[in-house]
Amino acid sequence: MAAATRAAQCLLGFSRRAPPLPPLASLLISRLSGGAGAVCMASSDAAAPQPSATVAVPGAAGPVRVVAAPGLPEADFRKAMDSALFRRWLENLQTEKGLLTYGKLSLTQILIQGVDMFGERVGFLKFKADIVDEETKAKVPGIVFARGLAVAVLILLESKGQTYAVLTEQARVPIGKFMLELPAGMLDDEKGDFVGTAVREVEEETGIKLNLEDMVDLTALLDPTTGCRMFPSPGGCDEEIGLFLYRGRVDEETINALQGKETGLREHGELIKLRVVPYSQLWRSTADAKALSAIALYEMAKKEGILPLPPRGSLANL
């Protein structure tokens, strides 16, 4: 009973935050030509070599060379080296399941290929890591699209004995299609406020105001060794998603008002329409990995009897 109680308590996501990242100085960046504490950058002369640096990574055989791809501006290289995305990736190499933890793989070089800025911060980072199997000396596929931490919310609304799920329909240029998916968004900072971001993204994308205390962290159900997050595409992307559940009651008029409603921050390019579908049909209505994963966690939690009961009288506010 005590174990079940602890499992149920860990579902509440408002107390969970990602661990803060260490300062960049702890990565021990040094100049290639000697001298500690600086990054060796090329001049603006077109004939000069590309910016480069070395990083001391625990578990690596020696200092790891980091170099900019041809054409990458020096300013972008600096931002990439300083970014939370890059530092978090380096930290992951040294965790309990990190690639460098047991000495079977070695990291020799990192090529920074591209940087996309979201205002003042690095939003996306593209790089290639040369990681070698020490036994076979073969390279492990090392192309990385870094985008960091994100959240998604399974919103279930009960109305007249029927349970509905709220989805967003929006243009997804990488797949060249419109996509039905759970309301979701990226974390904007290093603090890792998953539940706060989830509530804010739902309000921005759907107009529904959620109560913080009613949010349930579904990914907290996973074994702690997983990191308690979902990785949708670890073969090429570092994205980690916290999946949350919200349950509320609404009247029929609210369901009708949500159906087809246009939302999103249009000044940021968000062209979103809401779609409301019966929960029983959700698994067949979308190919969104976030939605399908949330369904699996939700159903298994109910089956195991560790899902908290929804708050009494919990009404979704529009």
Side-chain angles (χ1 to χ4, degrees), residues 12 77 90 98 114 124 134 149 162 164 183 189 199 223 239 249 260:
L12 297 176
F77 182 72
L90 290 175
F124 296 149
E134 286 297 317
L149 308 175
Q162 176 79 284
Y164 298 90
D189 54 41
V199 170
D223 189 281
E239 185 177 33
R249 293 186 298 106

Side-chain angles (χ1 to χ4, degrees), residues 6-54:
R6 288 195 299 271
Q9 289 174 340
C10 79
L11 290 172
L12 297 176
F14 51 81
S15 64
R16 194 174 122 230
R17 290 175 178 267
L21 291 172
L24 184 61
S26 68
L27 298 179
L28 305 177
I29 298 176
S30 62
R31 280 192 296 183
L32 288 173
S33 57
V39 178
C40 179
M41 298 293 179
S43 69
S44 58
D45 187 346
Q50 287 300 109
S52 62
T54 56

Side-chain angles (χ1 to χ4, degrees), residues 45-292:
D45 187 346
Q50 287 300 109
S52 62
T54 56
V55 179
V57 181
V64 177
R65 186 168 183 256
V66 185
V67 62
L72 185 73
E74 179 178 315
D76 284 355
F77 182 72
R78 287 181 181 273
K79 291 171 183 175
M81 294 287 294
D82 288 339
S83 69
L85 293 174
F86 189 64
R87 286 183 283 146
R88 188 176 298 279
W89 182 80
L90 290 175
E91 285 293 303
N92 285 342
L93 295 175
Q94 307 156 45
T95 59
E96 183 180 355
K97 291 190 175 182
L99 296 181
L100 304 184
T101 301
Y102 302 106
K104 295 181 179 180
L105 302 174
S106 62
L107 171 64
T108 58
Q109 178 173 289
I110 301 170
L111 177 68
I112 305 294
Q113 297 172 310
V115 178
D116 287 301
M117 301 299 297
F118 290 6
E120 295 298 317
R121 71 181 180 90
V122 175
F124 296 149
L125 178 61
K126 172 75 162 43
F127 61 93
K128 182 179 180 181
D130 288 343
I131 293 183
V132 178
D133 184 322
E134 286 297 317
E135 182 178 353
T136 65
K137 302 305 178 184
K139 280 189 178 181
V140 177
I143 295 175
V144 180
F145 171 48
R147 55 174 296 158
L149 308 175
V151 296
V153 185
L154 174 61
I155 302 174
L156 300 182
L157 302 179
E158 184 181 340
S159 180
K160 289 190 172 182
Q162 176 79 284
T163 300
Y164 298 90
V166 180
L167 300 174
T168 63
E169 182 181 48
Q170 52 189 312
R172 291 305 194 188
V173 175
I175 64 172
K177 301 178 183 179
F178 285 90
M179 182 83 175
L180 278 177
E181 54 190 284
L182 294 186
M186 299 170 61
L187 270 68
D188 294 331
D189 54 41
E190 299 177 21
K191 297 179 181 179
D193 183 6
F194 279 82
V195 71
T197 300
V199 170
R200 183 177 66 252
E201 289 294 333
V202 165
E203 185 170 349
E204 289 178 359
E205 293 195 353
T206 70
I208 300 174
K209 297 178 176 64
L210 306 184
N211 297 318
L212 201 68
E213 60 271 18
D214 294 339
M215 300 287 284
V216 177
D217 186 349
L218 293 174
T219 38
L221 285 169
L222 298 170
D223 189 281
T225 59
T226 67
C228 292
R229 296 187 194 115
M230 188 269 285
F231 292 80
S233 187
C237 181
D238 76 328
E239 185 177 33
E240 303 178 27
I241 302 178
L243 297 175
F244 289 82
L245 168 69
Y246 178 83
R247 294 163 292 178
R249 293 186 298 106
V250 296
D251 53 31
E252 188 176 10
E253 289 74 19
T254 298
I255 295 295
N256 293 334
L258 288 172
Q259 191 70 266
K261 180 181 178 181
E262 295 186 353
T263 63
L265 302 176
R266 301 209 159 219
E267 65 273 19
H268 293 169
E270 293 183 348
L271 308 176
I272 298 173
K273 277 190 177 182
L274 300 186
R275 301 297 183 195
V276 182
V277 301
Y279 173 69
S280 61
Q281 296 299 312
L282 178 59
W283 70 279
R284 302 185 66 183
S285 302
T286 176
D288 177 32
K290 302 182 297 296
L292 298 176

